Amino acid sequence: MKSSVYDQIREAILTGELAPGQTLSENALAERFGASRTPVREALHRLETEQLLERASRSVHVRETSPEEILDIYYVRISLEGAAAKGAAERASQLDIARLKVAAQNLKDATSPAERALTNRLFHEAMWAASHSPTLIDLLERLNVHLVRYPRTTFEREERWREAIQEHDQILESVINRDGESARQLAEDHMTAAREVRLQMMTEMPKS
């Protein structure tokens, strides 16, 4: 089944195919994705609402992500990840736990930074799902969209990757043991550590 124009444009933004700051033309997008201007216009409006696009005067461009915004996202996500882990410990089904175990194993099998980032995201998504909280899942998915757009992953660093695997295992153990407070604290500590590595990476980036 062919993806909608909205899904195709959104994916192009998230993968960087449509680069931050790039101005978008309805006509060009319609031709590129084989659609009429009406669904393209509707998709752009929806993506603007999701803060993936910005409108300046009469033009629309891909929204750029600043270091300050990334850190703000982490600030909020720390609490939400803790709430999701606590919810998972309290409400996860046996199927949820089985899926989390598979996701945790996949983390250990990943090698490249891209694979590591993907398996990490899938582990977290499995944790969100196990919380059985639609509101939390919606908020975390919205936040994650903006982090995915950031061009680098903290898992480029071997030490951080090894630490993250251990942290995931500890969170999973707390979920299995139905220890909600422990799961919450460990998840918050995990995201705090990720934020600190991200901040360090930002300070090391050469200034243009």
Side-chain angles (χ1 to χ4, degrees):
M1 183 177 178
K2 186 177 179 180
S3 299
S4 68
V5 175
Y6 160 78
D7 288 329
Q8 292 180 76
I9 297 175
R10 185 176 186 272
E11 183 66 18
I13 293 170
L14 294 183
T15 60
E17 190 178 338
L18 294 174
Q22 181 175 341
T23 300
L24 304 182
S25 159
E26 287 184 12
N27 289 332
L29 290 171
E31 182 177 352
R32 176 174 180 169
F33 295 109
S36 65
R37 289 182 60 184
T38 298
V40 169
R41 188 180 302 115
E42 292 172 349
L44 294 182
H45 178 70
R46 185 174 172 186
L47 291 164
E48 186 181 351
T49 301
E50 294 176 3
Q51 298 185 39
L52 289 177
L53 300 179
E54 281 184 328
R55 189 173 298 275
S57 186
R58 295 185 178 181
S59 66
V60 177
H61 60 268
V62 179
R63 187 166 178 263
E64 298 188 65
T65 301
S66 68
E68 292 79 12
E69 181 186 24
I70 293 295
L71 293 177
D72 186 50
I73 289 169
Y74 270 106
Y75 178 78
V76 177
R77 190 175 170 186
I78 287 168
S79 296
L80 294 181
E81 288 281 359
K86 184 175 186 293
E90 294 172 349
R91 296 186 290 273
S93 66
Q94 289 305 310
L95 178 58
D96 290 326
I97 290 174
R99 287 171 174 162
L100 281 166
K101 287 180 177 178
V102 171
Q105 182 56 51
N106 289 340
L107 286 165
K108 299 177 177 67
D109 296 335
T111 54
S112 70
E115 288 178 327
R116 292 170 177 179
L118 175 60
T119 54
N120 175 71
R121 177 169 62 82
L122 293 176
F123 177 88
H124 281 273
E125 288 178 354
M127 186 67 69
W128 305 344
S131 75
H132 293 278
S133 172
T135 302
L136 267 177
I137 294 168
D138 177 62
L139 290 171
L140 283 161
E141 286 177 345
R142 287 170 182 267
L143 285 175
N144 196 54
V145 161
H146 297 286
L147 284 179
V148 167
R149 292 177 58 218
Y150 197 74
R152 297 179 64 191
T153 170
T154 57
F155 301 134
E156 294 173 9
R157 305 192 170 198
E158 291 296 326
E159 182 179 359
R160 176 59 199 147
W161 179 241
R162 291 192 296 270
E163 290 172 350
I165 288 176
Q166 292 178 349
E167 289 162 8
H168 285 122
D169 284 345
Q170 290 169 350
I171 296 167
L172 177 54
E173 183 178 357
S174 291
V175 170
I176 293 171
N177 292 334
R178 303 295 181 181
D179 189 339
E181 281 305 314
S182 174
R184 179 191 61 76
Q185 187 62 59
L186 288 167
E188 290 184 0
D189 290 346
H190 169 66
M191 291 309 303
T192 299
R195 182 192 63 189
E196 294 308 305
V197 174
R198 178 73 73 187
L199 179 59
Q200 186 179 31
M201 289 171 67
M202 288 176 176
T203 60
E204 294 172 356
M205 289 178 65
K207 296 182 179 179
S208 56

